[in-house]
């Protein structure tokens, strides 16, 4: 087993709040117990299985303290990925924006910095938890009592590697099966831990699918009590994601259909619900994480180091000098939808209500501003509180706990965050069908049926802009637009840009992207191929690395739509 990766998985790193200082290792106060350690405990199996999901949220795995406001588990990785493209515009790119390094494609994404180390620490730590279960309870003769834990370990390990392959791989599976991804670490000891090369796309996807085959076997009869653990439907969903990335269209279609069983697409009312919008599992959610009042991410640092702090924009103790906390609601660092993407959403599409209209920035009075904000909220005074601007302001992710939660972050930030929804399966199915020979009309029909659940006036062919990779068909561009709007802020956008080999456009007339970072590219930006930490490459001499990102200099010439 690659001990360097495992050591990094249990180590935390000290970084400055500007997130640009070099990393420094130290002994962590929290970490991942080894399989040998836990196996001696009376409740060994339960402890290991609980560890599979308990660190996805709730604790400061990376930093070991409560000061890093981007150290809140898997959802933090989702924001980091989305910030690299064009669909999210931050308030600014200063050191107070905790995700600025990803947005600015800074040199601090390079292998010697903390921003590079954090995802490596997280992902290989999660993989280690899976390996602990498989080493202790997997193998050729799995006890029936351990089927659930072993199945979940296989499913989650496949999910993590699928993320890593799409994050660190510079070329897609469909383009180059021999392109490098990441080193493989399993429950089986490697022959030489200092010479563990990056898997090729071909080897990586074979490994991922093998894990998912095992998960399918062991979770066949598992009935979960909530959606914070993966079941068979999630395994099918992960297979659909993998086959979509491989452009194996028949299998992507097959598994997307299997994954949908028992779920239903959210209605427009559910999508924009003021009380439960994107904070509470419903019949569309397949897999999620849940923040709890007892989590360190909620209890410590005024709950500033949590998903809710960054993504919930309506939370304030008005006229209270102590106020509430949260970067999005109170400190002036919310996130905004790209203006052009917003303007392409028809007024009849329910998803447009998840973002404030740009006319709000021209409001002549507080009364006029509140009138505009009332389209998005029942408490415009909360949404208006301490915001630097309003046009494109995100209100998709609501606080939980009703009225109390809107005035108390310790309640309001205890939200669930979706990791997989049936809507993703619907769009995978439509794309997979439409990309098969002679079946594009069927794919268009599936896409149209889905889109009409968001916009009854939807007409196919209105959203197929072909910037970036112009070789992508109009049909795939139409699918891509739906995915960009449907899953805004849910961590899928970078993966789509890379698999479709798209460029990005931030510079255009009226853009709301930060000055100095209004870049246009015709190809996929190299900063989306994340660097592997120096610690790994220095110890594991067979592990190559991606180039340190080099950001464009100054704004690009304005793109004309």
């Amino acid at each position: 087993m690659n001990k360097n990766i495992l050591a990094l998985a249990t180590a935390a790193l000290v970084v400055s709040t500007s997130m640009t200082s070099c990393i420094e290792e130290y002994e962590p106060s929290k970490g991942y117990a080894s399989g040998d350690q836990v196996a001696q405990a009376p409740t060994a199996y339960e402890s290991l299985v609980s560890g599979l999901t308990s660190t996805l949220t709730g604790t400061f795995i990376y930093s070991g303290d409560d000061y890093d406001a981007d150290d809140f588990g898997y959802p933090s990785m989702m924001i980091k990925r989305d910030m690299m493209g064009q669909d999210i515009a931050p308030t600014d790119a200063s050191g107070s924006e905790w995700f600025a390094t990803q947005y600015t494609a800074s040199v601090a994404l390079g292998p010697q910095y903390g921003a590079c180390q954090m995802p490596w620490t997280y992902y290989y730590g999660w993989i280690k938890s899976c390996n602990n279960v498989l080493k202790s309870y997997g193998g050729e003769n799995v006890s029936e009592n351990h089927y659930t834990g072993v199945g979940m370990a296989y499913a989650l390990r496949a999910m993590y590697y699928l993320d890593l392959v799409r994050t660190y791989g510079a070329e897609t599976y469909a383009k180059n099966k021999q392109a490098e991804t990441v080193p493989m670490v399993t429950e089986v000891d490697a022959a030489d831990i200092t010479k563990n090369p990056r898997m090729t796309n071909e080897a990586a996807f074979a490994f991922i699918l093998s894990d998912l085959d095992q998960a399918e076997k062991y979770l066949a009869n598992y009935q979960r009590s909530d959606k914070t653990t993966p079941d068979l439907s999630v395994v099918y969903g992960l297979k659909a994601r993998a086959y979509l990335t491989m452009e194996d269209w028949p299998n992507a279609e097959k598994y997307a259909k299997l994954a949908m069983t028992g779920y239903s697409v959210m209605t427009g009312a559910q999508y924009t619900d003021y009380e439960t919008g994107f904070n509470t599992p419903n019949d569309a959610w397949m897999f999620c994480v849940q923040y709890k009042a007892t989590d360190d991410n909620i209890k410590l640092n005024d709950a500033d180091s949590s998903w809710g702090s960054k993504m919930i924009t309506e939370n304030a103790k008005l006229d209270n000098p102590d106020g509430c906390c949260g970067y999005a609601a109170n400190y002036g660092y919310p996130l905004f939808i790209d203006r052009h993407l917003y303007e392409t959403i028809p007024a009849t599409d329910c998803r447009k209500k998840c973002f404030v209209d740009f006319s709000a920035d021209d409001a002549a009075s507080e009364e006029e501003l509140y009138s505009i904000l009332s389209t998005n909220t029942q408490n415009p005074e909360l949404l208006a509180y301490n915001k630097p601007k309003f046009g494109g302001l995100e209100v998709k992710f609501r606080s939980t706990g009703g009225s109390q939660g809107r005035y108390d972050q310790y309640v309001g930030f205890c939200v669930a965050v979706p990791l997989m929804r049936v809507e993703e399966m619907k769009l995978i199915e439509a794309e997979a069908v439409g990309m098969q020979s002679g079946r594009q009309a069927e794919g268009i029909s599936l896409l149209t049926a889905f889109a009409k659940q968001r916009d009854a006036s939807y007409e196919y062919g209105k959203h197929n802009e072909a910037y970036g990779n112009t070789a992508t068909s109009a049909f795939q561009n139409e699918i891509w637009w739906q995915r960009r709007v449907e899953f805004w802020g849910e961590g899928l956008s970078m993966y789509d840009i890379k698999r479709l080999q798209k460029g990005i456009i931030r510079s255009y007339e009226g853009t709301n992207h930060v000055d100095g970072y209004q870049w246009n590219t015709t190809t996929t930006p190299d900063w989306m191929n994340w660097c592997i930490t120096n610690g790994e490459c220095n110890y594991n001499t067979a592990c190559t690395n991606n180039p340190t990102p080099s950001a464009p200099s100054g704004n690009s010439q304005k793109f004309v739509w």
Side-chain angles (χ1 to χ4, degrees):
M1 192 178 293
N2 190 323
K3 293 181 181 178
N4 186 57
I5 292 179
L6 296 183
L8 290 173
T10 59
L13 300 163
V14 178
V15 293
S16 72
T17 55
S18 67
M19 301 184 296
T20 58
S21 63
C22 292
I23 60 177
E24 176 185 349
E25 293 187 326
Y26 78 101
E27 289 298 318
S29 59
K30 299 176 184 177
Y32 298 82
S34 71
D36 291 339
Q37 289 173 319
V38 180
Q40 306 306 315
T43 56
Y45 172 72
E46 291 79 4
S47 297
L48 283 174
V49 173
S50 174
L52 292 174
T53 54
S54 62
T55 57
L56 290 178
T57 57
T59 191
F60 297 93
I61 289 298
Y62 168 72
S63 61
D65 59 41
D66 60 357
Y67 295 110
D68 283 1
D70 62 341
D71 186 3
F72 49 84
Y74 194 93
S76 177
M77 302 298 120
M78 294 161 56
I79 299 174
K80 289 177 188 293
R81 295 194 296 263
D82 280 354
M83 289 288 280
M84 296 191 122
Q86 64 205 359
D87 292 346
I88 288 180
T91 302
D92 64 30
S94 70
S96 297
E97 170 50 72
W98 278 88
F99 297 89
T101 304
Q102 284 72 34
Y103 181 76
T104 62
S106 165
V107 68
L109 291 173
Q112 71 272 37
Y113 293 98
C116 172
Q117 179 69 52
M118 181 183 278
W120 202 256
T121 299
Y122 261 110
Y123 270 98
Y124 278 99
W126 292 327
I127 287 168
K128 182 176 188 230
S129 294
C130 297
N131 288 341
N132 284 343
V133 172
L134 297 175
K135 186 172 184 177
S136 297
Y137 302 101
E140 294 182 1
N141 299 304
V142 178
S143 166
E144 192 169 345
N145 292 334
H146 299 147
Y147 274 17
T148 296
V150 169
M152 288 196 300
Y154 276 122
L156 290 168
R157 188 170 73 174
M159 182 178 82
Y160 302 141
Y161 273 112
L162 183 57
D163 283 0
L164 289 170
V165 166
R166 294 181 293 173
T167 297
Y168 291 90
E171 295 184 90
T172 65
Y173 177 95
K175 183 178 180 181
N176 183 0
K177 293 181 176 62
Q178 300 310 308
E180 292 182 313
T181 61
V182 292
M184 179 196 296
V185 182
T186 72
E187 73 279 17
V188 179
D189 291 338
D192 186 345
I193 59 176
T194 66
K195 295 179 181 178
N196 186 16
R198 298 165 69 179
M199 292 182 284
T200 63
N201 269 321
E202 188 170 42
F205 278 94
F207 174 54
I208 290 165
L209 291 171
S210 174
D211 268 8
L212 291 173
D213 286 343
Q214 292 288 80
E216 186 175 354
K217 170 184 173 182
Y218 290 116
L219 293 178
N221 298 312
Y222 171 53
Q223 299 294 320
R224 58 186 177 177
S225 58
D226 60 52
K227 296 180 180 181
T228 62
T229 59
D231 68 353
L232 192 59
S233 70
V234 176
V235 174
Y236 292 147
L238 291 170
K239 283 192 172 186
R241 283 179 177 176
Y243 284 120
L244 174 75
T245 306
M246 297 168 70
E247 297 187 15
D248 181 340
W249 306 119
N251 273 316
E253 175 192 0
K254 172 185 174 180
Y255 285 102
K257 285 180 176 177
L258 287 171
M260 294 179 205
T261 303
Y263 297 99
S264 56
V265 172
M266 277 187 282
T267 64
Q270 287 176 307
Y271 200 100
T272 59
D273 191 277
Y274 187 53
E275 301 295 345
T276 60
F278 288 90
N279 64 30
T280 303
N282 55 42
D283 289 342
W285 288 26
M286 300 172 63
F287 188 34
C288 68
V289 292
Q290 174 73 57
Y291 288 92
K292 303 180 294 297
T294 54
D295 288 344
D296 286 348
N297 284 122
I298 300 297
K299 292 190 303 179
L300 306 178
N301 196 27
D302 301 319
D304 283 343
S305 305
S306 70
W307 168 268
S309 172
K310 192 61 193 169
M311 303 302 283
I312 292 173
T313 53
E314 302 165 283
N315 186 276
K317 292 180 180 176
L318 302 179
D319 301 321
N320 184 329
D322 295 326
C324 263
C325 296
Y327 280 86
N330 288 277
Y331 301 161
Y333 291 93
L335 299 179
F336 302 81
I337 188 174
D338 169 73
R339 181 167 189 162
H340 177 73
L341 181 60
Y342 173 82
E343 290 176 345
T344 63
I345 305 174
T348 49
D349 191 318
C350 68
R351 296 170 296 193
K352 196 155 192 166
K353 294 180 181 179
C354 292
F355 310 97
V356 173
D357 191 80
F358 282 82
S359 63
D361 289 329
D362 299 322
S365 65
E366 183 178 90
E367 182 181 11
E368 183 181 354
L369 173 63
Y370 283 8
S371 177
I372 295 169
L373 296 181
S374 294
T375 301
N376 312 96
T377 179
Q378 295 175 18
N379 293 92
E381 71 283 0
L382 285 180
L383 189 56
Y385 182 77
N386 203 31
K387 300 301 188 298
K389 55 184 178 180
F390 297 98
L393 179 66
E394 170 265 315
V395 292
K396 176 178 177 178
F397 301 96
R398 307 287 187 173
S399 60
T400 192
S403 178
Q404 181 184 359
R406 286 189 281 276
Y407 295 91
D408 181 351
Q409 79 269 21
Y410 298 109
V411 175
F413 292 175
C414 291
V415 296
V417 181
L419 307 186
M420 182 183 289
R421 296 195 277 120
V422 74
E423 289 85 354
E424 183 185 355
M425 300 302 116
K426 290 285 186 181
L427 289 171
I428 289 176
E429 179 196 22
E431 183 173 353
V433 168
M435 292 302 291
Q436 295 177 55
S437 178
R439 299 185 68 189
Q440 186 173 101
E442 187 181 349
I444 292 172
S445 178
L446 288 168
L447 170 61
T448 301
F450 169 81
K452 282 185 174 293
Q453 294 181 80
R454 298 285 178 258
D455 177 7
S457 302
Y458 171 81
E459 294 180 24
Y460 175 79
K462 301 286 188 180
H463 307 292
N464 56 16
E465 291 169 332
Y467 58 87
N469 177 10
T470 56
T472 308
S473 69
F475 169 70
Q476 267 188 307
N477 288 335
E478 191 93 13
I479 293 275
W480 183 42
W481 183 90
Q482 285 292 336
R483 289 175 64 94
R484 291 171 66 193
V485 176
E486 180 71 21
F487 306 117
W488 188 96
E490 296 182 54
L492 299 180
S493 65
M494 188 186 81
Y495 294 150
D496 281 342
I497 290 171
K498 292 182 73 171
R499 77 179 177 86
L500 297 171
Q501 300 173 57
K502 293 292 186 179
I504 68 168
I505 296 181
R506 293 180 183 174
S507 178
Y508 52 88
E509 193 64 41
T511 184
N512 62 331
H513 282 279
V514 180
D515 187 31
Y517 306 98
Q518 297 170 7
W519 305 322
N520 299 335
T521 72
T522 56
T523 58
T524 304
D526 62 1
W527 63 78
M528 292 186 180
N529 306 321
W530 292 16
C531 290
I532 295 171
T533 177
N534 262 351
E536 176 62 24
C537 294
N538 290 342
Y539 181 83
N540 175 9
T541 58
C543 184
T544 61
N545 211 339
N546 295 327
T548 298
S550 177
S553 177
N555 297 336
S556 299
Q557 183 177 351
K558 294 185 186 300
F559 183 85
V560 179
W561 300 100

Coordinates of all heavy atoms in Angstrom, one line a residue, residues 85-136:
G85 N -14.8 27.3 -13.3 CA -15.4 27.5 -14.6 C -15.9 28.9 -14.7 O -15.3 29.9 -14.3
Q86 N -17.1 29.0 -15.3 CA -17.7 30.3 -15.7 C -19.1 30.5 -15.0 O -19.6 31.6 -15.0 CB -17.9 30.3 -17.2 CG -18.9 29.3 -17.7 CD -18.6 28.9 -19.1 OE1 -17.7 29.4 -19.8 NE2 -19.4 28.0 -19.6
D87 N -19.7 29.4 -14.5 CA -21.1 29.5 -14.1 C -21.3 30.2 -12.7 O -22.3 30.7 -12.4 CB -21.7 28.1 -14.1 CG -21.9 27.6 -15.5 OD1 -21.7 28.3 -16.4 OD2 -22.1 26.4 -15.6
I88 N -20.2 30.2 -11.9 CA -20.2 30.9 -10.6 C -19.3 32.2 -10.7 O -18.2 32.1 -11.1 CB -19.8 30.0 -9.5 CG1 -20.9 29.0 -9.2 CG2 -19.5 30.8 -8.2 CD1 -20.5 28.0 -8.0
A89 N -19.9 33.3 -10.3 CA -19.1 34.5 -10.2 C -19.0 34.9 -8.7 O -20.1 35.1 -8.1 CB -19.7 35.7 -11.0
P90 N -17.8 34.9 -8.1 CA -17.8 35.3 -6.7 C -17.9 36.8 -6.5 O -17.9 37.6 -7.5 CB -16.4 34.8 -6.3 CG -15.6 34.9 -7.5 CD -16.5 34.6 -8.6
T91 N -18.0 37.2 -5.3 CA -18.1 38.7 -5.0 C -16.8 39.4 -5.4 O -16.9 40.4 -6.1 CB -18.3 38.9 -3.5 OG1 -19.5 38.2 -3.1 CG2 -18.4 40.3 -3.1
D92 N -15.7 38.8 -5.0 CA -14.4 39.3 -5.5 C -13.4 38.2 -5.4 O -13.8 37.0 -5.1 CB -14.0 40.6 -4.7 CG -13.7 40.3 -3.2 OD1 -13.3 39.1 -2.8 OD2 -13.9 41.2 -2.4
A93 N -12.1 38.5 -5.6 CA -11.1 37.5 -5.6 C -10.0 37.7 -4.6 O -8.9 37.4 -4.7 CB -10.5 37.3 -7.0
S94 N -10.4 38.4 -3.5 CA -9.5 38.7 -2.4 C -9.3 37.6 -1.5 O -9.9 36.5 -1.6 CB -10.0 39.9 -1.6 OG -11.2 39.5 -0.8
G95 N -8.3 37.7 -0.6 CA -8.1 36.7 0.4 C -9.2 36.3 1.3 O -9.2 35.3 1.9
S96 N -10.2 37.2 1.4 CA -11.4 36.9 2.2 C -12.4 36.0 1.5 O -13.3 35.5 2.1 CB -12.1 38.2 2.5 OG -11.3 39.1 3.3
E97 N -12.2 35.8 0.2 CA -13.0 34.8 -0.5 C -12.2 33.4 -0.4 O -11.2 33.3 -1.1 CB -13.2 35.2 -2.0 CG -13.8 34.1 -2.9 CD -15.0 33.5 -2.3 OE1 -16.1 34.1 -2.3 OE2 -14.9 32.3 -1.9
W98 N -12.7 32.5 0.4 CA -12.0 31.3 0.7 C -11.8 30.4 -0.5 O -11.0 29.5 -0.5 CB -12.7 30.6 1.8 CG -12.3 31.1 3.1 CD1 -12.9 32.2 3.8 CD2 -11.2 30.7 4.0 NE1 -12.3 32.4 5.0 CE2 -11.2 31.6 5.1 CE3 -10.2 29.7 3.9 CZ2 -10.3 31.4 6.1 CZ3 -9.3 29.6 4.9 CH2 -9.3 30.5 6.0
F99 N -12.6 30.6 -1.6 CA -12.4 29.8 -2.8 C -11.8 30.6 -3.9 O -11.9 30.2 -5.1 CB -13.8 29.2 -3.2 CG -14.3 28.3 -2.1 CD1 -15.1 28.8 -1.1 CD2 -14.1 26.9 -2.1 CE1 -15.6 27.9 -0.1 CE2 -14.5 26.1 -1.1 CZ -15.3 26.6 -0.1
A100 N -11.2 31.7 -3.6 CA -10.6 32.5 -4.7 C -9.4 31.8 -5.4 O -9.2 32.0 -6.6 CB -10.0 33.8 -4.0
T101 N -8.7 31.0 -4.7 CA -7.6 30.3 -5.4 C -8.0 29.5 -6.6 O -7.4 29.5 -7.6 CB -6.8 29.4 -4.4 OG1 -6.4 30.1 -3.3 CG2 -5.6 28.7 -5.0
Q102 N -9.2 28.8 -6.4 CA -9.7 28.0 -7.5 C -10.2 28.9 -8.6 O -10.0 28.7 -9.8 CB -10.8 27.1 -7.1 CG -10.4 25.9 -6.3 CD -9.8 26.2 -4.9 OE1 -10.3 27.1 -4.2 NE2 -8.8 25.4 -4.5
Y103 N -10.9 30.0 -8.3 CA -11.4 30.9 -9.3 C -10.4 31.6 -10.1 O -10.5 31.9 -11.3 CB -12.3 32.0 -8.6 CG -13.0 33.0 -9.5 CD1 -14.1 32.6 -10.3 CD2 -12.5 34.3 -9.6 CE1 -14.7 33.5 -11.2 CE2 -13.2 35.2 -10.5 CZ -14.2 34.8 -11.2 OH -14.8 35.7 -12.1
T104 N -9.3 32.0 -9.4 CA -8.2 32.8 -10.1 C -7.1 31.9 -10.7 O -6.2 32.5 -11.3 CB -7.5 33.7 -9.0 OG1 -6.9 33.0 -8.0 CG2 -8.6 34.7 -8.4
A105 N -7.3 30.6 -10.6 CA -6.3 29.7 -11.2 C -4.9 30.1 -10.7 O -3.9 30.1 -11.5 CB -6.4 29.7 -12.7
S106 N -4.8 30.5 -9.5 CA -3.5 31.0 -8.9 C -2.4 30.0 -8.9 O -2.7 28.7 -8.9 CB -3.8 31.5 -7.5 OG -2.6 31.6 -6.7
V107 N -1.2 30.5 -8.9 CA 0.0 29.6 -8.7 C -0.1 28.8 -7.4 O 0.5 27.7 -7.3 CB 1.3 30.4 -8.8 CG1 1.4 31.3 -7.6 CG2 2.5 29.5 -8.9
A108 N -0.9 29.3 -6.5 CA -1.1 28.5 -5.2 C -1.9 27.2 -5.4 O -2.0 26.5 -4.4 CB -1.9 29.4 -4.2
L109 N -2.3 26.9 -6.6 CA -2.9 25.6 -6.9 C -1.7 24.6 -7.2 O -2.0 23.4 -7.4 CB -3.8 25.6 -8.1 CG -5.1 26.4 -7.9 CD1 -5.8 26.5 -9.3 CD2 -6.0 25.7 -6.9
G110 N -0.5 25.1 -7.2 CA 0.7 24.3 -7.5 C 1.0 23.3 -6.4 O 0.4 23.4 -5.3
P111 N 1.8 22.3 -6.7 CA 2.0 21.1 -5.8 C 2.6 21.4 -4.4 O 2.6 20.6 -3.6 CB 2.9 20.2 -6.6 CG 3.6 21.1 -7.6 CD 2.6 22.2 -7.9
Q112 N 3.2 22.6 -4.2 CA 3.8 22.9 -2.9 C 2.9 23.7 -2.0 O 3.3 24.1 -0.9 CB 5.1 23.7 -3.1 CG 4.9 25.2 -3.6 CD 4.9 25.3 -5.1 OE1 4.3 24.5 -5.8 NE2 5.5 26.4 -5.6
Y113 N 1.7 23.9 -2.4 CA 0.8 24.8 -1.6 C -0.4 24.0 -1.0 O -0.8 22.9 -1.4 CB 0.2 25.9 -2.4 CG 1.3 26.9 -2.9 CD1 1.9 26.8 -4.1 CD2 1.7 27.9 -2.0 CE1 2.8 27.7 -4.6 CE2 2.7 28.8 -2.4 CZ 3.3 28.7 -3.7 OH 4.2 29.6 -4.1
G114 N -1.0 24.6 0.0 CA -2.1 24.0 0.8 C -3.3 23.7 0.0 O -4.0 22.7 0.2
A115 N -3.6 24.6 -1.0 CA -4.8 24.4 -1.8 C -4.7 23.1 -2.6 O -5.7 22.5 -2.9 CB -5.0 25.6 -2.8
C116 N -3.5 22.7 -3.0 CA -3.3 21.4 -3.7 C -3.4 20.2 -2.7 O -3.9 19.2 -3.1 CB -1.9 21.5 -4.3 SG -1.3 19.9 -5.0
Q117 N -2.9 20.5 -1.5 CA -2.8 19.4 -0.5 C -4.2 19.0 0.0 O -4.5 17.8 0.3 CB -2.0 19.8 0.7 CG -1.9 18.8 1.8 CD -1.1 17.5 1.4 OE1 0.0 17.7 0.9 NE2 -1.7 16.4 1.5
M118 N -5.1 20.0 0.2 CA -6.4 19.7 0.8 C -7.2 18.5 0.2 O -7.6 17.6 0.8 CB -7.3 20.9 0.9 CG -8.6 20.7 1.6 SD -9.7 22.1 1.7 CE -9.0 22.9 3.1
P119 N -7.4 18.6 -1.2 CA -8.2 17.5 -1.8 C -7.5 16.2 -1.7 O -8.2 15.1 -1.5 CB -8.4 18.0 -3.2 CG -7.4 19.0 -3.4 CD -7.2 19.7 -2.1
W120 N -6.2 16.2 -1.8 CA -5.4 14.9 -1.7 C -5.6 14.3 -0.3 O -5.8 13.1 -0.2 CB -4.0 15.2 -2.0 CG -3.2 14.0 -2.5 CD1 -2.3 13.3 -1.8 CD2 -3.2 13.4 -3.8 NE1 -1.7 12.3 -2.5 CE2 -2.3 12.3 -3.8 CE3 -3.9 13.7 -5.0 CZ2 -2.1 11.5 -4.9 CZ3 -3.7 12.9 -6.1 CH2 -2.8 11.8 -6.0
T121 N -5.5 15.2 0.7 CA -5.7 14.7 2.1 C -7.1 14.1 2.3 O -7.2 13.0 2.8 CB -5.5 15.9 3.1 OG1 -4.1 16.4 2.9 CG2 -5.7 15.4 4.5
Y122 N -8.1 14.8 1.8 CA -9.4 14.4 2.0 C -9.7 13.1 1.2 O -10.2 12.1 1.8 CB -10.4 15.5 1.5 CG -11.0 16.3 2.6 CD1 -10.6 17.6 2.8 CD2 -11.9 15.8 3.5 CE1 -11.2 18.4 3.8 CE2 -12.5 16.5 4.5 CZ -12.1 17.9 4.6 OH -12.6 18.6 5.6
Y123 N -9.5 13.1 -0.1 CA -9.9 11.9 -0.9 C -9.1 10.7 -0.5 O -9.8 9.6 -0.4 CB -9.7 12.3 -2.4 CG -10.9 12.9 -3.0 CD1 -11.0 14.3 -3.1 CD2 -12.0 12.1 -3.4 CE1 -12.1 14.8 -3.7 CE2 -13.1 12.7 -3.9 CZ -13.2 14.0 -4.1 OH -14.3 14.6 -4.6
Y124 N -7.8 10.7 -0.3 CA -7.1 9.5 0.1 C -7.4 9.1 1.5 O -7.3 7.9 1.9 CB -5.6 9.6 -0.2 CG -5.4 9.3 -1.7 CD1 -5.2 10.4 -2.6 CD2 -5.4 8.0 -2.2 CE1 -5.1 10.1 -4.0 CE2 -5.2 7.7 -3.5 CZ -5.0 8.8 -4.4 OH -4.8 8.5 -5.8
G125 N -7.8 10.1 2.3 CA -8.3 9.7 3.7 C -9.6 8.9 3.6 O -9.8 7.9 4.3
W126 N -10.5 9.4 2.8 CA -11.8 8.7 2.6 C -11.5 7.3 2.0 O -12.2 6.3 2.4 CB -12.7 9.5 1.7 CG -13.2 10.7 2.3 CD1 -13.5 11.0 3.6 CD2 -13.5 12.0 1.6 NE1 -14.0 12.2 3.8 CE2 -14.0 12.9 2.6 CE3 -13.5 12.4 0.3 CZ2 -14.4 14.2 2.3 CZ3 -13.8 13.7 0.0 CH2 -14.3 14.6 1.0
I127 N -10.6 7.2 1.0 CA -10.3 5.9 0.4 C -9.7 5.0 1.5 O -10.0 3.8 1.5 CB -9.3 6.1 -0.8 CG1 -10.1 6.8 -2.0 CG2 -8.7 4.8 -1.2 CD1 -9.2 7.3 -3.1
K128 N -8.9 5.5 2.4 CA -8.3 4.7 3.4 C -9.4 4.1 4.3 O -9.3 2.9 4.7 CB -7.4 5.5 4.3 CG -6.7 4.7 5.4 CD -5.7 5.5 6.1 CE -5.0 4.5 7.0 NZ -4.8 4.7 8.3
S129 N -10.5 4.9 4.6 CA -11.6 4.4 5.4 C -12.2 3.2 4.7 O -12.6 2.2 5.3 CB -12.6 5.5 5.7 OG -12.1 6.5 6.5
C130 N -12.4 3.3 3.4 CA -13.0 2.2 2.6 C -12.0 1.0 2.6 O -12.5 -0.2 2.8 CB -13.2 2.6 1.1 SG -14.4 4.0 0.9
N131 N -10.7 1.2 2.5 CA -9.8 0.1 2.5 C -9.7 -0.6 3.8 O -9.5 -1.8 3.9 CB -8.4 0.7 2.1 CG -8.2 1.0 0.6 OD1 -9.0 0.6 -0.2 ND2 -7.3 1.9 0.3
N132 N -9.9 0.2 4.9 CA -9.9 -0.4 6.2 C -11.1 -1.4 6.3 O -10.9 -2.5 6.9 CB -10.1 0.7 7.3 CG -8.9 1.5 7.6 OD1 -7.8 1.0 7.2 ND2 -9.0 2.6 8.2
V133 N -12.2 -1.1 5.9 CA -13.4 -2.0 5.9 C -13.1 -3.2 5.0 O -13.3 -4.4 5.5 CB -14.7 -1.3 5.4 CG1 -15.8 -2.3 5.3 CG2 -15.1 -0.2 6.4
L134 N -12.6 -3.0 3.8 CA -12.3 -4.1 2.9 C -11.2 -5.0 3.4 O -11.3 -6.2 3.2 CB -12.0 -3.6 1.5 CG -13.2 -2.8 0.9 CD1 -12.8 -2.2 -0.4 CD2 -14.4 -3.7 0.7
K135 N -10.2 -4.4 4.0 CA -9.1 -5.3 4.5 C -9.5 -6.1 5.7 O -9.1 -7.3 5.8 CB -7.9 -4.4 5.0 CG -6.7 -5.1 5.4 CD -5.5 -4.2 5.6 CE -4.3 -5.0 5.9 NZ -3.1 -4.1 6.1
S136 N -10.4 -5.6 6.5 CA -10.8 -6.3 7.7 C -12.0 -7.3 7.4 O -12.1 -8.4 8.1 CB -11.3 -5.3 8.8 OG -10.2 -4.5 9.2

